[in-house]
Amino acid sequence: MNNKSDKYKKSLEETYDQTTLYTQEINDSTLDTELSSKQSVRTVLQNLISEYHGTREQLLWTKWGQGIPRSESRSLIADLSAARIEFISYFLDMNDNQLEQNVAPAEGESAESLINKMLLLEKQLLSLLKENK
Amino acid sequence: MSDGISSELTNELNDQLNAAIELVNSLSEKDLETFHSEDTGEEGPMTVRRLLHRINTHHKDHIQHIIKVRKKLGFPVSEVETNIAEIRASRAYLTSIIHSLSDENMNKDIEEKTDLGNLASVSAGENRYTIKRIVGHVMEMTNNRLNHIRDSIKNK
């Protein structure tokens, strides 16, 4: 029975999606903006990241204390999710024209071609895992 | 085992790191906001904070660059090398966050009186739950695991 886990995952993801509407408006020049909590946008973001890291360890100890292994697989899948989200985050602010430009420092590649490369690799992973099912 | 050039570069990198640590250690939190220039191509001015951030991101860029080049040249980064890099990074983080602490702060009782992971709040010899004990615990567990690795390799 994973009812509660599923429900909390959904709640966190829904809240995250709502916050994304605002975080995608943030840029470097607005990081110092003071919020009603008297903290800057940078500080509230840094604090939440830090809370995630600290609370993640505590969460793992709730498992450890019950004899549930830390799990290399969970850790790997989490790293993969973080890599995907970081990748998406870096192209979300690019318009269509910027995505299509072939750029010399990137070995002549366009952002679009790099996104398609990752899409292809994701599809390869999907079919390999499907085969193994 | 490193060859001449990599060994020389490692020494230079370490010297530069030590100089960087000395400089950055002298900064206050307020210094991070200090303006450097209206750098072009940036969102907002280049501050001390942003210059530090750029040092980190520039390392990350070119770490990936070297990883890619090594793969292309036929001597990809091994899992062992990646493990060493990750352990070094963890150890560097650990030493960085205890380096400036006084003995008094290292020995301060956190007074939570609750267990933390597999670290009991109260040990037989030391009825205190301190940062010093947490670091000792990391070292002890690392030693245990290193010994397990040695045993496994010896018995394979």
Side-chain angles (χ1 to χ4, degrees):
Chain A
M1 287 282 276
N2 292 334
N3 290 347
K4 275 195 171 181
S5 302
D6 290 341
K7 198 186 84 189
Y8 282 125
K9 176 177 176 281
K10 207 171 159 214
S11 296
L12 277 167
E13 284 173 348
E14 279 171 3
T15 312
Y16 177 72
D17 286 344
Q18 286 172 37
T19 312
T20 304
L21 295 175
Y22 299 92
T23 52
Q24 63 192 12
E25 297 294 316
I26 296 171
N27 61 40
D28 286 7
S29 54
T30 58
L31 280 177
D32 288 312
T33 308
E34 192 176 281
L35 301 170
S36 63
S37 62
K38 301 287 175 208
Q39 296 162 305
S40 67
V41 171
R42 175 187 296 105
T43 305
V44 294
L45 293 178
Q46 287 172 338
N47 285 351
L48 184 60
I49 294 166
S50 166
E51 281 297 329
Y52 261 117
H53 290 163
T55 311
R56 173 196 64 200
E57 292 311 307
Q58 219 174 344
L59 176 71
L60 287 169
W61 282 326
T62 70
K63 295 177 81 173
W64 186 85
Q66 298 178 72
I68 309 167
R70 187 179 175 107
S71 167
E72 185 184 347
S73 55
R74 291 285 108 196
S75 169
L76 259 180
I77 292 162
D79 283 350
L80 178 59
S81 300
R84 277 177 183 140
I85 288 173
E86 188 177 16
F87 187 75
I88 292 169
S89 164
Y90 282 138
F91 72 72
L92 264 189
D93 62 345
M94 298 174 81
N95 63 35
D96 290 359
N97 184 44
Q98 290 167 330
L99 283 174
E100 291 163 10
Q101 300 298 316
N102 291 79
V103 187
E107 298 173 48
E109 297 285 347
S110 68
E112 195 169 20
S113 66
L114 297 172
I115 296 163
N116 278 316
K117 173 189 150 188
M118 292 316 299
L119 201 52
L120 182 69
L121 292 174
E122 285 281 1
K123 285 178 180 167
Q124 283 174 358
L125 173 71
L126 177 64
S127 68
L128 285 169
L129 294 177
K130 258 186 183 170
E131 271 172 26
N132 193 47
K133 191 78 179 153
Chain B
M1 184 83 86
S2 54
D3 211 344
I5 296 173
S6 68
S7 163
E8 208 172 292
L9 278 175
T10 304
N11 288 337
E12 281 179 40
L13 283 163
N14 285 335
D15 289 345
Q16 191 187 45
L17 174 66
N18 290 333
I21 290 171
E22 198 180 329
L23 172 66
V24 179
N25 250 335
S26 69
L27 302 175
S28 67
E29 298 287 313
K30 190 79 188 151
D31 286 336
L32 298 181
E33 292 164 19
T34 308
F35 173 86
H36 174 256
S37 66
E38 286 289 350
D39 200 271
T40 53
E42 294 287 335
E43 292 170 344
M46 185 63 87
T47 57
V48 170
R49 170 185 287 116
R50 197 157 288 165
L51 288 165
L52 289 172
H53 186 244
R54 290 295 177 275
I55 293 175
N56 282 328
T57 52
H58 193 237
H59 272 73
K60 284 180 185 167
D61 285 349
H62 291 290
I63 287 168
Q64 291 308 317
H65 196 173
I66 293 173
I67 289 172
K68 202 168 170 183
V69 167
R70 281 190 53 170
K71 196 171 166 190
K72 211 176 254 180
L73 293 174
F75 41 92
V77 175
S78 67
E79 193 176 343
V80 166
E81 285 175 301
T82 305
N83 272 304
I84 291 171
E86 285 174 358
I87 293 170
R88 272 187 201 274
S90 297
R91 196 43 75 93
Y93 207 121
L94 184 65
T95 52
S96 293
I97 59 173
I98 62 165
H99 181 73
S100 67
L101 298 180
S102 63
D103 286 0
E104 189 193 348
N105 285 340
M106 288 293 280
N107 282 318
K108 208 167 258 178
D109 193 344
I110 297 163
E111 289 180 344
E112 286 178 355
K113 302 295 180 207
T114 51
D115 293 355
L116 187 66
N118 55 354
L119 180 64
S121 58
V122 175
S123 75
E126 202 176 2
N127 187 16
R128 289 158 75 88
Y129 179 20
T130 64
I131 294 174
K132 186 181 163 209
R133 270 198 67 211
I134 298 174
V135 176
H137 166 73
V138 173
M139 290 180 69
E140 187 188 346
M141 292 303 288
T142 302
N143 266 337
N144 286 350
R145 284 168 179 147
L146 290 174
N147 285 334
H148 291 162
I149 293 170
R150 289 185 188 103
D151 289 346
S152 310
I153 298 303
K154 201 163 60 187
N155 299 329
K156 74 173 179 187

